Each structure stands twice: as structure tokens, then as C-alpha cells.
């Protein structure tokens, strides 16, 4: 019997009684609805034989009862129809006077007061005020401290004769449709705004204004102005100062109310629906050295934006471009301390930027002067060049999409910056994602989970029952999960272990995720193997086909779906992966240095080839590599025809590049392709852009329970700390600082030093190195002249800690080191 998605049917002997070799329904995912369960539970069962007279009497009684019941049902149905009609008429009557557009919704009145429901605008923070039209007047409302944008507040407004005659929501703005600049209720232009006279404007063009920069505003900071009834946010150019004037062209008034315009009452629409039509024009000077057609980056409203120099422009000329107001007018809420360090630490490295042309995310590398490093897109450079994993979908099949992965240069690894529902409605916009990227880790998790809740299929639309046998857990689970469509993957799952009593209220689901992921990551299964450099991390087994010759790729699609569903349902995965796999899931850049975390010996041998010069030809090496599986060796070409291409000093960069691609993808391309196809069946790719690879590991595997006493007791000291050990002043500072860290920073420190946030089951005493032997956490003392920042050696679980002069300096440099480890920036 094939496994699949089916309606639940009742039949005798439906349990797991009898011979285990003939299960009636195992490893299945079934969909149930409340009406079906009611009909199943109400079904009568025969109790035995009766006489003919008894049958006749019982039949007459039953027929009489059926007729009465039928009549009662008709009466009840008629009353229900009447009630629904009355409710509908009442709703239509109450909504007849409500104008369309955002604003306050009448909820009732009494005692000379009218009550309205007011949605908090997206740009309002707790404690701030905003304006609405309610009861025929402009009302200022203060957002409570426990509320946030999108939530509804209830306010009461005194009634007056005008409101009684015109109805709540009357006024000039309502007559104008809420969009034009006319009307007596519009605020005047700001005092520092002057309209440029005698402008020769074409039809549809907006007039330009000169805006004087207020006192206290520095380059890059923002300040508000009011122009044409619209409150705009202007970013001060880097070369400007207070008292100077900048020229801006405000966007045309749209059909929706301006930001400071009193808002019209409306029916409660979907609070997640956003309008991204409003834009603000920016005028910038093309930086020196930028050629026509080349990109350059700038900060607009605190957001890194990638702008391409027009073909007809040159360095030193002014160009204009538009950005959505929602993107540059970001809320000034509290940012993550780690995000502040990243923003203030101005070094070269890969950064995710927003492309101004289509508002999509793209990776860009900046040089030491803050400009776009275009050299990385040319010949391979083992110190700068990088690749990102790109997944191209070949179809949009509801059940089993097909696609292919490849390594591309970062500028081609473009990701959408919004998320839409199945109906095409925008759930998450680019400004939402840009704002979430600077949140703290805890706030990111909350935002991610709230967004997943919006993507989840409602219970009333159907949910899934997962029936599995404990003794055949993995095979049953794989068959059940792979029978589901993508929509089913976002439904609520309820689990049942066949033959066991129990109702899934969350505990069975948690147990199922733990058991399945623990079994699937077991090296004995043959799908995964322990990393050569870190026994705590798992990497894909290139020879997984030998262990599961018929269905090893199906298992990897299954693993991807389970990992995605675990994140979607706030569950954990029992398996830490090697670092570059988390980067691949996120589409983060991978570089030549990532080979060190996979195989340090292989990395050092490739790096040593650069020092050989022309003598490399005497190695008689070609563009091939040797793979050994179960004692059998085979030659693999790194590029087409690689066996006929000799390695020379001239083509050495291409040889290193070919090895990088093979080691980071080519060895297990088919397996990783299926894993990502399964993962993105559940999680939309843009939703992951708010995380770095360290945060993704913490989200999937959970924050570790770290015993500080056990950590200290099983730490070794070497170098300049060898003699005094924990009694050295700097070591004492180190433990004082780490003890004050929250769970996230402690986990990040572990990731920085050991390569993973995982802690062995037996504690730090059993921490292993890349050779499989016990390598305890080690603090190695070095002179401050040797390195300014702490350095890590994940193969030995060692941190090189300079001898700092003060505790404050140690705290600052340590936090920067563990933070920048997740950015790809060079801190040497």
C-alpha cells in the first residue's frame, strides 16, 4: 500500500494488533477535519441479535424519533439562517458609514462618547504620538509602552454636533480621498524648507526644495522635514554640516495619507498589508575612481545601498535615485550590541546590501576605503575571492520541486527581499527584513517565529496526523513526510506512535523531532560522517550512496524538510553541522580559508604550493584529485579534461579555485541539492537573511547549557600564561567577562574557539580536537605586539589571548573578535 496524504477512515482492527508483519497503516500522514471526526465518533455499533417484535417496535420508535429529529433540525437550520442574515445586515449597516483607508474604526458609543479602534502605524514606537481622524476631529494618540506597530488600540472621543451630523470620520481629508496637498488641515512646510523659485517643470515633475541642515546634525544622520503636507526623513550628506542647505525633490503625494496627515477611519483591513509605493529621492556624487556601469555603495538611512553608476555619468558628477520611505525611515529602536559593533567596525569584508534597482539583497565586498572592491570579480584571489551557493528552481511543483545548486560569484547570489503568501499578498517587505537584521538575537528569533506563524496554515483549513511505529521510526517517518505537499508541510502536525496511548499536546512532537534527527545524523546510518577537524560536527558523507543505494537522495530531501519544519515549529535538531553548510543554507560567501575548517592538512598543502614558484611543474600534478571509498581509489577530474591539464605557476590560482569548488560542493553536490530543496519547501529563503551562520546554528540546535565551573576546571593554559594559569591577571579578567556574558555570547565564544556551540555530553573534559584525541579548551598567552585581537585555532580548541593592559580593553577586543567571526571580515 503506498503511503500518502489521505482522509482518515474507520475500520475494524485499525490498530496495530496481531502480526507486526502486516500493519494496516504505518508511516502515514493523514488529514482530518472536525466534521469527519464528529461523524466517526457518532457512528453506532451493533450490540447483538434481537427478536422480530423487538426489532419492529424498536424500528417504529426509531422512525418516530427520526421524524421528530428531522423536524427539529429544520427548525434549527431556519433559525440559524435568520440569525446569519440579521448579523450580516447589522454588519453592513455598521460598515456603511466607514470610509476606506487606514485609521480608526468605530467600536461603539455611549454617554456622549464615541469609541474607536486605532491601529498603531508602522513607524510609531511605544511612547510616541500619532494623529487620526475620529469623531470628526483630529485626535492625537499616544502609543502605550506595551504596544507595537500593527496592534489595535481603543480610544474614546467626546461627541459633538458636527460629528453627529457628519458621522465619525468626516472632514476635508475624507472628501479629498486622503491624498492631495489641498485642505485646511494640512501642516505647513518646515521653517528650514524653501521652495526653489522659477523652476521649469515638465508635466508630472515635482518641484525641488532647499532644506537647511539643523544644528546638531552630522553627516549620515537623519532629520525630519514637512513638505507638501508630507513628513519626510532627510539624510545629511557626509560632506555637509549644520547651516548648509541640500536640494531635495519630494515624492508626489500618493493616494494614501502622508505620514503626518490625520488618518481616516476605515474597516479593519489585513494589518500585514503594506504599501511600498512612497519613495524618497537621493542625490549623490559619483565617488572618485568609479567608472560608468560600475557599482558603488553608500549609506542611506543607515542601510547599505548598492547603486550602479549610469553609463552617461562619470566620477564627480551628481546622480539621483529613489528609495522607499519605509526603508530609509527605519525605527530607532534598540539595536543588538553585536550589530552596533559590526556597524562601527569599519574594515573590509563581504556585506549584504540592497540593490537600488530592484530592492533585492546582494553581496558586496568593500575595500579598506569603504568603496566597492571590483577586483574580486576578476581572477581568483585566495585571500579575497568568494562564492555563494545558489539554488535555481526548475519548476514550481506543489509536492516535489526540482532544482540545481551551483557556486556563483557573490554578486550573482541575489535573494528576494520580500515574502508573499500563497494568495500573493505581501507578508514581509524589504524594510521589515532590513530592520530585523539589526535586532538582538532574541528579538530576531521572536520576529522569525511570528512570521512563521503567519505562514502557517490555519487549523480550520486542515492539519496532519503523523502515524509511525517506534521500531520503524526512520523509515515510517520518511515515507510519511515525503508524501506531503508543500502546503501540508506548513500545517500543524500531530504525532501518534502506533500501539501507544498518548495525546500529542507538544510533547510527542518534541520527542519525534529529537529521535528522528538523532538517528538520521548517526554516522552508522551512512548519510553523515564526523568532521575531520571537529568530532562534534557532522558533514555530508560523499559515499552515502553505498549505505543507502536506492534512496539516499530521498533521505537528504527528507532531512531538509525535517530541518526546515523544526525551525518552523520551534523545535530543535540533534546534530551540529560543519560551518560551511550553515553558510550554504544562508547563501553566505565561502572563501579559501573555509577549507581550513574542513581539512587543515589539505588546506596547508594547497597554500604551500604558492611558495614553490616555477618549481611546481616538477610535481607533475594535474587538475584531478583522488577519492578513496572503502579502500578503493578513483581519480576525479576537477574540471572537464582535467587529467590533460598540468598545474603550472601560471594556472595555480585556477587550480586552487577548482579544489575549493570541489571540496565545498562537488563532493556531495547531489546530496546538498536535495537537502536544500527540502529545506526551502518549508522556509522561504528571504526569511533567513536576518541571521548569520552562528545564529542559524543556535536557532537550529538551541543554546547550550554551559556549566561555567566545569568550563574553568577543564581549561588549560599555555604560552605566557603557562606558569600562572588561572591566577594570571588577564586570565582572571577573561573569566570575569565571560561569566557576565548571556547564553548567546557564551555560545558564540564556543563557536569562535571550537567551531561549534555544542558541548560534549560528558562536559568540557571530553572536548576533542581534529585528531580525535581529547583537546581541552586552551587559553594561550601571546604578546600584544603579536596580534591586537584574540585569535582562534578550532583544530586545537585554543584561543590566543594577548596580554592586555586593562580589563576594558580585553572586553572590547574579545567581543569584536567573536562578533566579526560571523561577518567574514578580516580583523588581523
Amino acid at each position: 500500500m503506498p503511503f500518502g496524504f489521505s482522509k482518515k477512515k474507520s475500520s475494524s482492527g485499525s490498530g496495530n494488533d496481531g502480526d507486526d508483519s502486516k500493519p494496516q497503516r504505518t508511516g502515514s500522514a493523514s488529514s482530518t477535519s472536525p466534521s469527519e471526526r464528529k461523524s466517526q465518533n457518532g457512528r453506532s455499533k451493533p450490540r447483538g441479535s434481537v427478536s422480530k417484535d423487538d426489532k419492529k417496535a424498536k424500528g417504529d420508535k426509531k422512525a418516530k424519533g427520526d421524524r421528530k429529529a428531522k423536524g427539529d433540525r429544520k427548525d434549527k437550520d431556519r433559525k440559524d439562517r435568520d440569525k446569519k442574515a440579521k448579523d450580516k445586515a447589522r454588519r453592513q449597516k455598521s460598515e456603511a458609514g466607514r470610509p476606506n483607508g487606514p485609521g480608526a474604526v468605530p467600536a461603539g458609543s455611549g454617554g456622549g462618547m464615541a469609541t474607536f479602534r486605532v491601529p498603531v502605524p508602522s513607524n510609531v514606537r511605544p511612547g510616541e504620538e500619532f494623529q487620526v481622524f475620529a469623531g470628526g476631529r483630529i485626535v492625537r494618540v499616544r502609543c502605550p509602552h506595551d504596544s507595537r506597530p500593527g496592534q489595535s488600540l481603543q480610544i474614546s472621543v467626546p461627541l459633538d454636533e458636527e460629528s453627529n451630523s457628519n458621522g465619525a470620520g468626516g472632514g476635508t481629508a475624507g472628501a479629498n480621498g486622503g491624498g492631495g496637498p489641498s485642505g485646511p488641515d494640512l501642516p505647513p512646510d518646515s521653517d528650514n524648507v524653501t521652495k526653489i523659485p522659477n523652476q521649469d517643470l515638465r508635466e508630472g515633475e515635482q518641484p525641488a526644495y532647499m532644506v537647511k541642515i539643523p544644528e546638531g546634525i552630522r553627516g549620515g544622520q537623519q532629520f525630519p522635514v514637512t513638505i507638501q503636507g508630507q513628513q519626510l526623513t532627510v539624510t545629511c550628506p557626509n560632506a555637509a554640516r549644520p547651516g548648509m542647505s541640500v536640494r531635495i525633490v519630494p515624492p508626489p503625494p500618493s493616494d494614501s495619507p502622508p505620514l503626518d496627515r490625520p488618518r481616516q477611519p476605515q474597516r479593519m483591513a489585513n494589518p500585514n498589508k503594506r504599501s511600498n509605493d512612497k519613495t524618497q529621492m537621493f542625490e549623490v556624487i559619483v565617488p572618485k575612481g568609479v567608472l560608468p556601469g560600475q557599482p558603488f555603495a553608500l549609506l542611506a538611512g543607515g542601510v547599505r545601498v548598492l547603486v550602479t553608476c549610469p553609463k552617461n555619468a562619470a566620477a564627480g558628477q551628481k546622480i539621483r535615485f529613489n528609495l522607499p520611505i519605509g526603508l530609509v525611515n527605519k525605527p530607532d529602536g534598540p539595536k543588538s550590541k553585536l550589530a552596533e559593533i559590526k556597524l562601527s567596525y569599519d574594515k573590509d569584508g563581504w556585506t549584504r546590501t540592497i540593490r537600488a534597482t530592484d530592492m533585492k539583497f546582494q553581496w558586496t565586498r568593500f575595500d579598506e576605503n569603504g568603496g566597492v572592491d571590483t577586483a574580486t570579480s576578476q581572477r581568483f584571489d585566495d585571500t579575497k575571492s568568494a562564492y555563494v551557493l545558489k539554488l535555481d528552481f526548475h519548476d514550481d511543483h506543489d509536492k516535489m520541486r526540482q532544482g540545481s545548486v551551483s557556486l556563483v560569484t557573490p554578486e550573482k547570489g541575489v535573494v528576494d527581499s520580500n515574502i508573499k503568501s500563497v494568495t500573493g499578498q505581501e507578508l514581509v517587505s524589504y524594510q521589515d527584513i532590513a530592520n530585523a537584521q539589526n535586532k538582538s538575537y532574541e528579538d530576531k528569533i521572536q520576529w522569525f517565529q511570528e512570521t512563521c506563524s503567519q505562514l502557517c496554515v490555519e487549523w480550520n483549513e486542515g492539519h496532519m496526523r503523523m502515524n509511525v511505529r517506534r521500531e520503524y521510526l526512520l523509515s515510517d517517518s520518511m515515507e510519511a513526510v515525503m508524501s506531503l505537499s508543500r502546503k501540508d508541510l506548513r500545517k500543524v502536525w500531530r504525532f501518534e506512535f502506533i500501539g501507544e496511548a498518548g495525546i500529542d499536546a507538544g510533547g510527542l512532537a518534541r520527542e519525534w523531532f529529537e529521535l528522528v534527527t538523532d538517528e538520521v545524523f548517526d554516522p552508522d546510518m551512512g548519510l553523515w560522517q564526523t568532521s575531520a577537524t571537529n568530532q562534534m560536527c557532522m558533514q555530508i558523507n560523499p559515499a552515502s550512496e553505498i549505505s543507502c543505494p536506492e534512496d539516499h537522495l530521498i533521505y537528504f530531501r527528507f532531512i531538509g524538510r525535517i530541518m526546515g519544519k523544526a525551525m518552523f515549529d520551534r523545535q530543535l535538531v540533534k546534530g551540529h553541522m560543519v560551518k560551511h553548510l550553515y553558510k550554504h543554507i544562508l547563501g553566505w560567501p565561502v572563501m579559501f580559508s573555509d577549507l581550513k575548517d574542513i581539512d587543515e592538512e589539505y588546506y596547508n598543502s594547497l597554500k604551500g604550493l604558492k611558495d614553490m614558484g616555477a618549481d611546481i611543474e616538477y610535481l607533475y600534478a594535474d587538475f584531478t584529485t583522488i577519492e578513496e571509498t572503502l579502500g578503493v581509489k578513483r581519480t576525479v577530474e576537477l574540471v572537464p579534461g582535467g587529467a590533460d591539464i598540468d598545474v603550472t605557476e601560471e594556472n595555480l590560482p585556477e587550480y586552487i579555485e577548482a579544489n575549493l569548488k570541489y571540496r565545498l560542493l562537488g563532493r556531495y553536490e547531489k546530496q546538498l541539492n536535495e537537502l536544500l530543496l527540502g529545506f526551502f519547501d518549508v522556509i522561504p529563503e528571504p526569511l533567513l537573511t536576518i541571521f548569520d551562520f552562528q545564529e542559524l546554528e543556535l536557532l537550529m540546535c538551541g543554546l547550550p547549557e554551559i556549566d561555567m565551573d566545569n568550563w574553568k576546571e577543564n581549561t588549560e593554559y599555555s604560552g605566557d600564561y603557562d606558569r600562572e594559569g588561572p591566577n594570571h591577571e588577564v586570565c582572571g579578567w577573561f573569566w570575569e567577562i565571560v561569566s557576565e556574558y548571556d547564553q548567546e555570547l557564551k555560545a558564540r565564544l564556543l563557536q569562535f574557539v571550537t567551531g561549534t556551540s555544542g558541548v560534549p555530553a560528558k562536559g568540557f573534559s571530553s572536548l576533542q580536537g581534529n585528531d580525535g584525541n581529547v583537546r581541552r579548551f586552551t587559553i594561550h598567552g601571546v604578546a600584544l605586539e603579536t596580534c591586537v585581537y584574540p585569535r582562534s585555532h578550532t583544530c586545537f580548541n585554543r584561543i590566543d589571548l594577548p596580554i592586555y593592559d586593562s580589563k576594558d580593553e580585553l572586553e572590547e577586543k574579545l567581543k569584536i573578535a567573536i562578533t566579526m567571526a560571523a561577518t567574514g571580515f578580516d580583523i588581523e
Side-chain angles (χ1 to χ4, degrees), residues 476-655:
D476 283 1
S477 299
M478 191 268 285
E479 295 284 357
V481 171
M482 294 310 297
S483 69
L484 303 179
S485 66
R486 282 188 284 153
K487 183 178 180 180
D488 294 333
L489 294 173
R490 292 182 179 176
K491 292 180 178 179
V492 177
W493 290 5
R494 288 292 180 260
F495 293 88
E496 179 181 338
F497 289 97
I498 296 177
E500 300 181 13
I503 299 177
D504 186 9
L508 292 181
R510 185 164 52 251
E511 181 185 10
W512 182 84
F513 277 103
E514 181 177 346
L515 293 175
V516 168
T517 56
D518 187 50
E519 187 170 345
V520 82
F521 278 104
D522 189 344
D524 293 338
M525 180 71 184
L527 300 174
W528 297 81
Q529 60 186 20
T530 55
S531 169
T533 59
N534 193 327
Q535 298 296 312
M536 287 289 295
C537 295
M538 307 301 296
Q539 63 184 15
I540 296 175
N541 182 7
S544 60
E545 187 176 5
I546 296 177
S547 302
C548 307
E550 297 180 357
D551 52 9
H552 75 117
L553 293 181
I554 298 178
Y555 267 110
F556 277 101
R557 177 78 72 107
F558 163 71
I559 294 170
R561 287 187 165 191
I562 292 304
M563 292 168 61
K565 183 62 173 175
M567 289 181 59
F568 195 82
D569 285 357
R570 311 181 187 188
Q571 302 290 346
L572 299 179
V573 173
K574 292 279 289 186
H576 294 262
M577 298 185 295
V578 289
K579 182 173 66 177
H580 73 277
L581 288 183
Y582 292 111
K583 289 186 175 183
H584 281 336
I585 293 175
L586 295 175
W588 269 56
V590 290
M591 304 178 66
F592 176 65
S593 57
D594 285 291
L595 281 179
K596 186 176 181 180
D597 298 322
I598 302 174
D599 191 332
E600 188 175 21
E601 184 179 354
Y602 190 81
Y603 165 80
N604 288 330
S605 64
L606 286 176
K607 195 174 181 180
L609 296 178
K610 297 173 60 178
D611 300 329
M612 296 187 64
D615 294 340
I616 193 174
E617 298 181 8
Y618 294 106
L619 293 178
Y620 300 102
D622 54 27
F623 279 64
T624 62
T625 187
I626 303 298
E627 284 284 0
E628 183 175 351
T629 305
L630 298 178
V632 179
K633 295 182 179 181
R634 62 185 179 92
T635 300
V636 179
E637 290 187 336
L638 298 175
V639 296
D644 300 324
I645 304 176
D646 294 329
V647 179
T648 64
E649 184 180 13
E650 177 64 24
N651 64 17
L652 179 59
E654 285 71 30
Y655 177 71

Side-chain angles (χ1 to χ4, degrees), residues 77 82 97 164-165 190 252 277 279 341 376 480 525 552 557 561 587 798:
D77 291 341
D82 293 342
N164 290 333
S165 60
S190 300
D277 296 335
T279 60
I341 294 175
T376 56
M525 180 71 184
H552 75 117
R557 177 78 72 107
R561 287 187 165 191
R798 192 183 87 188

Side-chain angles (χ1 to χ4, degrees), residues 355-418:
R355 204 161 57 183
T357 53
D358 54 9
M359 302 310 298
K360 291 188 176 182
F361 288 118
Q362 174 185 320
W363 287 102
T364 306
R365 183 179 177 87
F366 298 98
D367 57 27
E368 58 186 8
N369 297 320
V372 177
D373 190 352
T374 57
T376 56
S377 59
Q378 301 171 6
R379 193 177 185 187
F380 180 80
D381 184 339
D382 61 299
T383 62
K384 293 183 178 180
S385 298
Y387 287 96
V388 299
L389 192 74
K390 183 181 181 182
L391 175 61
D392 293 310
F393 293 103
H394 300 161
D395 56 49
D396 196 32
H397 195 276
D398 183 56
K399 199 167 187 179
M400 291 285 286
R401 283 190 296 182
Q402 300 301 315
S404 58
V405 294
S406 60
L407 287 175
V408 298
T409 51
E411 65 270 11
K412 297 179 181 178
V414 178
V415 180
D416 288 333
S417 59
N418 64 346

Side-chain angles (χ1 to χ4, degrees), residues 50 125 191 226 270 291 325 453 491 702 720 723 759 773 804:
V50 295
R125 294 182 299 162
D191 295 336
T226 301
N270 191 321
L291 301 176
I325 287 180
S453 299
K491 292 180 178 179
D720 292 340
R723 179 175 299 179
V759 178
N773 297 322
Y804 293 108

Side-chain angles (χ1 to χ4, degrees), residues 417-428:
S417 59
N418 64 346
I419 300 173
K420 295 183 178 180
S421 66
V422 292
T423 61
Q425 177 189 345
E426 187 179 62
L427 295 178
V428 177

